[in-house]
């Protein structure tokens, strides 16, 4: 099974190398997308083909993807590389970081894009004025404080625990989802929270960012990270972004996307044109929504198709085997049923350490999900064949194989087809989650839409996925008409 | 002396703790209809299944035309024995024609051979050609039973076993089918062993009548 998949994937992989497409990854958040677009468009402006592999879960997923050659470049922050990837205890400057990455991992980083997106502590302006707060050290004079921090900030090495001891602060914070922290801050539920220094909300809500007077937070310079073996021409093109973006400019780009519903593509293009980094006409046209929906639907169907086909090829013979050896049937069905109970997002996450990111692990996960309905319906269908018919078949002199071919399988067919149909619909639905591990498909719209709280984007993925599910249902109804006489059809 | 088609030699069969037959020996004459009567549970059906090897007796041997049954190559033996049961057992996913010709397809007959034989048999049991493309549930019970008989003797077996084949039919249809069976026996005489609980049917069709009671056989006057 795996061999077939690998074969299919390698065919796809080959077509990629021939076309010399550069695959740009991006982390699953606002700024990640914008920086990904900037890199993608500046490469495209030189006539190279680019494939966007945005929506990758987080630093770990992006990094795995890069090391497994599933992507060629993605935007990252120097601090994250030092802390999360190299697990470095001391701070590293750009040069040291680049050397360490090259030696230890065969990776390189571009020059900094110019801004520092570090953690910062923010509060409302009137609160800062009231207590005369300028720096984080100023917090020591406050008797009490209602603090809420993102869960990540509470956990990280460069997060709360060490900040607290460095500044000798005595407060006890609670955890909060980063997206909700601004609302909580503005309606007065909390006094202070952690922010990223380039968040668009800082300008929008006119927040006060406290100065990190002890230089606790490491530098989070935005850079591009790529394999050292990347074409030097591409590296040169990316380095043209060096020192072109200020913190305010990044805040403004973020705000355009989050508050003005501008697309990443347009925000990035306008920025590049304003800075004279690309000529207006040289940037390829943004693809229409329709063509994107179509191309993502095709990827989606492709993912589901391979997973389903493989599942049929495995589950039907296995179902027949279980029918003949009914002793092992129960344990096997229990085991496959157990797979079904793993939440899809967890199953997808479990695939990463085994198979990395991208299409292959997604197909494996979808395959595992499709197994149970097909397997169970195959065996149930075979078991429910009328014993009289089996007796007659034996009496006619049919051997086991002939009985299977002429009597049992045809009579189990309605149940078997129903199982495949269920599996197909489950697969179409579950495949929308595969975007989290970079498999693409309609889920990309949904995942991006969720990250931006953009209903239109979510629907752009959800509606075609629902239509696909209905079309698949109809397709299978067609199969049933072809394969089964009317009185044996289930509906 | 007439020819023996089936010889059961010292057969014993038990189901769990219950002995169905003990040391049972029987000769069944070729080209005649032998009717086995008995109450339900007397083991009539099991006896038929011992004859075609669906059941292997605990002790004793089965001979067809002097040849001992070889359970390792049972498929070939079974193909030479027609077998029709009360529930008919037509395959619902196959048309009437496909049901009738299935034994021919399994025996790798050519389509022409299948077609000739099917026409011949359908005419013999008065089955309308119109029914060919219908599915079993679309024809009457009597017609289904005729299809079942056509299928069981498709390969022209030398032995035909009828297991209460007509007992679920109404009297009128039963009469008709009895006539067909007699006609069939005149056209293609073979060894027929039929099991029935109906003494009238046994009397009408049976050249020989045997009663099975408590695992013992009693030959009756025919």
């Amino acid at each position: 099974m795996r061999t077939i998949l690998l074969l299919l994937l390698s065919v796809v992989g080959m077509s990629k190398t021939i076309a010399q497409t550069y695959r740009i990854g991006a982390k699953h958040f606002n700024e990640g997308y914008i920086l990904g677009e900037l890199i993608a468009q500046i490469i495209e402006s030189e006539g190279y083909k680019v494939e966007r592999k945005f929506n990758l879960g987080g630093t770990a997923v992006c990094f795995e993807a890069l090391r497994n050659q599933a992507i060629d470049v993605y935007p990252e922050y120097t601090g994250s590389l030092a802390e999360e990837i190299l697990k470095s205890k001391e701070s590293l400057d750009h040069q040291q970081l680049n050397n360490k990455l090259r030696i230890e991992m065969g990776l390189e980083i571009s020059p900094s894009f110019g801004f520092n997106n570090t953690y910062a502590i923010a509060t409302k302006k009137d609160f800062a004025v009231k207590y005369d707060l300028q720096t984080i050290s100023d917090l020591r004079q406050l008797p009490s404080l209602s603090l809420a921090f993102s869960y990540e900030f509470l956990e990280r090495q460069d997060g709360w625990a060490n900040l607290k001891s460095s500044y000798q602060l005595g407060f006890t914070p609670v955890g909060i989802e980063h997206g909700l922290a601004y609302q909580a801050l503005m309606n007065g539920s909390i006094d202070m929270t952690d922010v990223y220094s380039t968040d668009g909300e800082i300008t929008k809500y006119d927040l006060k960012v406290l100065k990190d007077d002890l230089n606790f937070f490491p530098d989070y310079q935005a850079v591009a990270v790529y394999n050292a073996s990347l074409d030097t021409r591409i590296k040169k093109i990316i380095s043209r972004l060096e020192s072109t973006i200020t913190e305010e400019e990044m805040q403004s780009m973020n705000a355009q996307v989050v508050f003005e519903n501008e697309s990443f593509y347009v925000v990035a293009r306008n920025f590049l044109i304003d800075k004279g980094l690309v000529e207006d006409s040289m940037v390829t046209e943004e693809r229409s929504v329709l063509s994107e929906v179509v191309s993502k639907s095709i990827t989606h169907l492709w993912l589901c198709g391979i997973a389903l086909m493989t599942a049929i090829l495995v589950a039907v013979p296995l179902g027949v085997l279980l029918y003949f050896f009914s002793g092992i049937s129960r344990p096997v069905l229990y085991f496959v049923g157990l797979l079904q109970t793993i939440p899809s997002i967890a199953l997808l996450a479990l695939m990463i350490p085994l198979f990395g990111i991208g299409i292959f692990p997604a197909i494996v996960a979808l395959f595992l999900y499709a197994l149970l309905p097909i397997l169970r319906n195959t065996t149930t269908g075979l078991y429910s064949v009328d014993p009289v018919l089996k007796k007659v078949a034996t009496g006619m002199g049919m051997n086991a194989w002939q009985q299977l071919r002429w009597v049992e399988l045809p009579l189990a067919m309605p149940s078997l087809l129903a199982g495949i149909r269920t599996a197909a619909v489950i697969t179409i639905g579950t495949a929308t989650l595969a975007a989290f591990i970079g498999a693409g498909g309609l889920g990309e719209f949904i995942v991006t839409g969720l990250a931006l709280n953009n209903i239109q984007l979510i629907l752009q993925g959800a509606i075609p996925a629902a239509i696909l599910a209905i079309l698949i249902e109809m397709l299978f109804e067609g199969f049933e008409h072809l394969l089964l006489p009317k009185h044996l059809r289930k509906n | 002396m007439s020819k023996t088609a089936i010889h059961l030699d010292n057969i014993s069969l038990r189901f769990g703790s219950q002995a169905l037959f003990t040391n049972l020996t029987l000769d069944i004459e070729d080209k005649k209809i032998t009717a086995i009567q008995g109450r339900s549970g007397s083991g009539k059906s099991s006896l038929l299944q011992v004859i075609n090897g669906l059941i292997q007796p605990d002790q004793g041997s089965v001979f067809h035309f002097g040849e001992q049954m070889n359970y390792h190559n049972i498929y070939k033996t079974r193909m030479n024995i027609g077998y029709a049961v009360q529930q008919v057992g037509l395959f619902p996913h196959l048309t009437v024609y496909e049901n009738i010709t299935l034994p021919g397809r399994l025996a790798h007959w050519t389509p022409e051979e299948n077609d000739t034989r099917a026409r011949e048999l359908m005419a013999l049991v008065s089955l309308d050609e119109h029914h060919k493309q219908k599915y079993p549930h679309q024809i009457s019970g009597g017609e289904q039973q005729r299809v079942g008989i056509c299928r069981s003797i498709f390969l022209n077996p030398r032995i035909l076993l009828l297991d209460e084949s007509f007992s679920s039919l109404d009297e009128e249809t039963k009469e008709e089918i009895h006539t067909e069976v007699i006609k069939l026996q005149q056209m293609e005489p073979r060894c027929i062993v039929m099991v029935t609980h109906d003494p009238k049917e046994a009397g009408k069709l049976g050249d020989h009548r045997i009663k099975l009671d408590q695992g013992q056989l009693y030959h009756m006057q025919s």
Side-chain angles (χ1 to χ4, degrees):
Chain A
M1 178 268 303
R2 207 179 152 188
T3 334
I4 301 168
L5 282 180
L6 280 175
L7 216 76
L8 282 165
L9 288 175
S10 63
V11 171
V12 179
M14 253 150 53
S15 67
K16 267 176 193 145
T17 29
I18 293 161
Q20 269 294 322
T21 303
Y22 293 98
R23 292 155 303 171
I24 316 299
K27 275 196 249 186
H28 171 224
F29 80 111
N30 206 26
E31 192 168 298
Y33 294 132
I34 297 175
L35 294 176
E37 269 299 337
L38 289 170
I39 296 170
Q41 289 184 26
I42 204 163
I43 295 175
E44 277 176 333
S45 75
E46 296 292 328
Y48 294 96
K49 269 189 105 104
V50 157
E51 191 187 339
R52 290 162 173 78
K53 295 218 152 236
F54 297 177
N55 282 320
L56 300 178
T59 304
V61 175
C62 276
F63 195 75
E64 273 300 310
L66 186 65
R67 296 200 72 189
N68 294 323
Q69 319 269 336
I71 55 174
D72 297 306
V73 188
Y74 84 92
E76 188 49 281
Y77 302 94
T78 50
S80 300
L81 287 168
E83 304 254 335
E84 289 179 58
I85 304 301
L86 295 174
K87 313 272 183 219
S88 162
K89 293 277 179 227
E90 68 244 60
S91 65
L92 301 168
D93 65 21
H94 188 279
Q95 185 65 43
Q96 291 168 318
L97 186 63
N98 204 8
N99 284 342
K100 238 177 137 112
L101 280 172
R102 192 184 304 116
I103 293 160
E104 289 181 21
M105 319 210 149
L107 302 177
E108 283 178 7
I109 51 175
S110 73
S112 163
F113 296 158
F115 69 91
N116 181 16
N117 182 5
T118 186
Y119 276 110
I121 306 299
T123 182
K124 280 203 286 187
K125 220 163 220 165
D126 50 357
F127 188 86
V129 171
K130 188 171 162 195
Y131 294 103
D132 190 23
L133 300 174
Q134 296 296 332
T135 65
I136 299 179
S137 296
D138 290 344
L139 293 177
R140 275 196 295 261
Q141 45 174 328
L142 295 183
S144 74
L145 197 56
S146 167
L147 282 174
F149 291 134
S150 67
Y151 295 101
E152 192 181 353
F153 185 72
L154 287 173
E155 288 299 317
R156 288 172 68 110
Q157 249 198 71
D158 54 348
W160 171 247
N162 288 327
L163 180 80
K164 186 178 169 178
S165 57
S166 297
Y167 279 96
Q168 294 170 336
L169 302 173
F171 314 108
T172 310
V174 294
I176 191 168
E177 172 64 37
H178 184 61
L180 300 174
Y182 286 106
Q183 272 174 301
L185 193 62
M186 293 320 288
N187 71 21
S189 312
I190 57 172
D191 298 328
M192 223 162 267
T193 188
D194 61 303
V195 298
Y196 298 110
S197 57
T198 54
D199 278 355
E201 285 86 346
I202 297 173
T203 350
K204 178 170 159 97
Y205 299 128
D206 194 22
L207 299 180
K208 173 75 183 172
V209 174
L210 299 183
K211 192 171 163 29
D212 176 20
D213 49 326
L214 297 183
N215 282 323
F216 168 78
F217 291 118
D219 243 10
Y220 281 81
Q221 298 286 333
V223 295
V225 53
Y226 36 72
N227 280 302
S229 58
L230 182 72
D231 191 333
T232 42
R233 285 171 302 181
I234 301 295
K235 291 185 196 169
K236 265 213 180 94
I237 294 168
I238 296 172
S239 70
R240 282 166 46 199
L241 288 169
E242 179 176 1
S243 305
T244 51
I245 313 171
T246 65
E247 230 157 277
E248 289 70 31
E249 282 168 332
M250 197 63 237
Q251 278 178 14
S252 143
M253 282 195 274
N254 282 329
Q256 283 173 50
V257 170
V258 177
F259 303 113
E260 291 160 36
N261 273 330
E262 201 58 86
S263 75
F264 305 116
Y265 185 91
V266 170
V267 169
R269 184 182 59 184
N270 291 343
F271 179 83
L272 290 174
I273 293 170
D274 285 351
K275 291 277 170 175
L277 287 166
V278 301
E279 282 172 39
D280 206 341
S281 59
M282 285 193 64
V283 179
T284 45
E285 266 306 294
E286 184 179 16
R287 292 161 77 187
S288 70
V289 171
L290 186 68
S291 77
E292 271 205 61
V293 168
V294 169
S295 95
K296 286 196 168 50
S297 299
I298 291 170
T299 316
H300 204 88
L301 278 178
W302 193 80
L303 270 176
C304 296
I306 292 187
L308 191 65
M309 277 301 159
T310 325
I312 294 172
L313 289 178
V314 171
V316 173
L318 187 61
V320 172
L321 215 64
L322 294 188
Y323 171 65
F324 280 124
F325 302 97
S326 52
I328 54 164
S329 136
R330 246 163 215 288
V332 172
L333 281 174
Y334 276 136
F335 175 73
V336 178
L338 203 68
L339 286 175
Q340 201 81 358
T341 64
I342 305 175
S344 20
I345 225 16
L347 185 64
L348 286 167
L350 286 175
M351 291 295 129
I352 298 177
L354 296 173
F355 305 115
I357 70 140
I359 286 173
F360 184 72
I363 289 178
V364 174
L366 293 176
F367 158 79
L368 291 175
Y369 267 112
L371 273 185
L372 180 69
I374 305 178
L375 190 61
R376 199 172 41 198
N377 278 34
T378 305
T379 46
T380 322
L382 289 170
Y383 277 125
S384 56
V385 172
D386 185 350
V388 170
L389 297 180
K390 292 188 201 173
K391 190 170 86 177
V392 168
T394 320
M396 280 172 76
M398 290 193 207
N399 58 34
W401 170 247
Q402 285 171 325
Q403 282 192 49
L404 193 66
R405 150 86 178 78
W406 289 97
V407 180
E408 288 158 324
L409 268 184
L411 288 173
M413 196 54 82
S415 169
L416 202 159
L417 283 178
I420 295 178
R421 197 161 147 175
T422 311
V425 174
I426 290 179
T427 310
I428 294 274
T430 313
T432 54
L433 293 173
F436 273 116
I437 55 170
L442 289 166
E444 275 195 19
F445 289 128
I446 300 177
V447 170
T448 316
L450 286 173
L452 298 179
N453 206 4
N454 180 334
I455 302 284
Q456 193 207 320
L457 261 184
I458 296 176
L459 292 179
Q460 212 166 297
I463 292 173
I467 294 174
L468 279 189
I470 293 169
L471 287 178
I472 293 286
E473 279 269 342
M474 285 162 70
L475 181 76
F476 275 93
E477 238 165 77
F479 281 153
E480 287 181 5
H481 273 257
L482 279 178
L483 291 170
L484 302 176
K486 194 170 165 214
H487 60 285
L488 292 180
R489 282 177 220 147
K490 290 237 155 144
N491 38 5
Chain B
M1 178 68 193
S2 53
K3 198 181 170 194
T4 299
I6 301 164
H7 172 61
L8 301 182
D9 183 37
N10 208 22
I11 299 284
S12 293
L13 177 67
R14 34 192 328 123
F15 275 148
S17 59
Q18 195 201 350
L20 221 45
F21 320 118
T22 315
N23 304 330
L24 185 147
T25 297
L26 174 67
D27 283 308
I28 297 175
E29 193 185 341
D30 194 18
K31 300 197 195 317
K32 296 284 186 207
I33 300 180
T34 301
I36 300 175
Q37 273 174 264
R39 286 197 309 261
S40 55
S42 60
K44 315 180 292 268
S45 294
S46 303
L47 190 62
L48 281 194
Q49 294 182 33
V50 166
I51 293 175
N52 73 357
L54 280 178
I55 297 176
Q56 189 169 356
D58 301 320
Q59 182 205 307
S61 317
V62 180
F63 295 85
H64 297 134
F65 300 99
E67 208 170 300
Q68 189 172 349
M69 171 122 48
N70 172 6
Y71 291 93
H72 298 294
N73 192 14
I74 197 77
Y75 304 116
K76 192 103 188 236
T77 312
R78 287 191 191 134
M79 278 180 122
N80 293 317
I81 302 173
Y83 181 51
V85 296
Q86 181 185 348
Q87 309 92 323
V88 194
L90 296 184
F91 299 119
H93 60 292
L94 300 179
T95 62
V96 163
Y97 184 78
E98 289 166 337
N99 263 288
I100 293 177
T101 54
L102 183 55
R105 294 171 78 173
L106 292 172
H108 305 294
W109 284 16
T110 65
E112 292 74 30
E113 286 170 331
N114 281 332
D115 206 50
T116 314
R117 179 65 174 158
R119 274 171 204 283
E120 178 182 85
L121 284 175
M122 284 177 81
L124 211 58
V125 300
S126 315
L127 252 182
D128 201 312
E129 286 253 341
H130 286 120
H131 295 327
K132 269 169 74 169
Q133 297 313 319
K134 288 185 181 163
Y135 285 97
H137 73 284
Q138 293 168 317
I139 58 178
S140 71
E143 286 160 346
Q144 289 180 15
Q145 201 52 260
R146 286 178 165 88
V147 173
I149 289 173
C150 288
R151 185 177 63 183
S152 58
I153 58 172
F154 192 83
L155 298 178
N156 208 351
R158 297 173 73 183
I159 297 168
L160 172 62
L161 309 178
L162 300 174
D163 189 354
E164 298 275 12
S165 295
F166 317 124
S167 46
S168 58
L169 301 175
D170 59 74
E171 283 306 315
E172 200 182 326
T173 318
K174 213 189 255 188
E175 287 290 318
E176 284 171 27
I177 286 228
H178 287 162
T179 315
E180 310 293 355
V181 172
I182 292 165
K183 199 167 82 189
L184 201 67
Q185 190 66 347
Q186 283 161 358
M187 302 294 294
E188 300 183 349
R190 57 170 59 83
C191 169
I192 297 181
V193 185
M194 64 181 293
V195 147
T196 178
H197 65 274
D198 177 3
K200 217 174 100 200
E201 188 175 69
K204 186 174 172 195
L205 293 180
D207 300 307
H208 303 291
R209 292 170 69 180
I210 296 171
K211 191 167 181 196
L212 184 61
D213 191 23
Q214 313 266 339
Q216 294 298 314
L217 293 172
Y218 304 94
H219 291 267
M220 300 167 75
Q221 215 59 356
S222 43

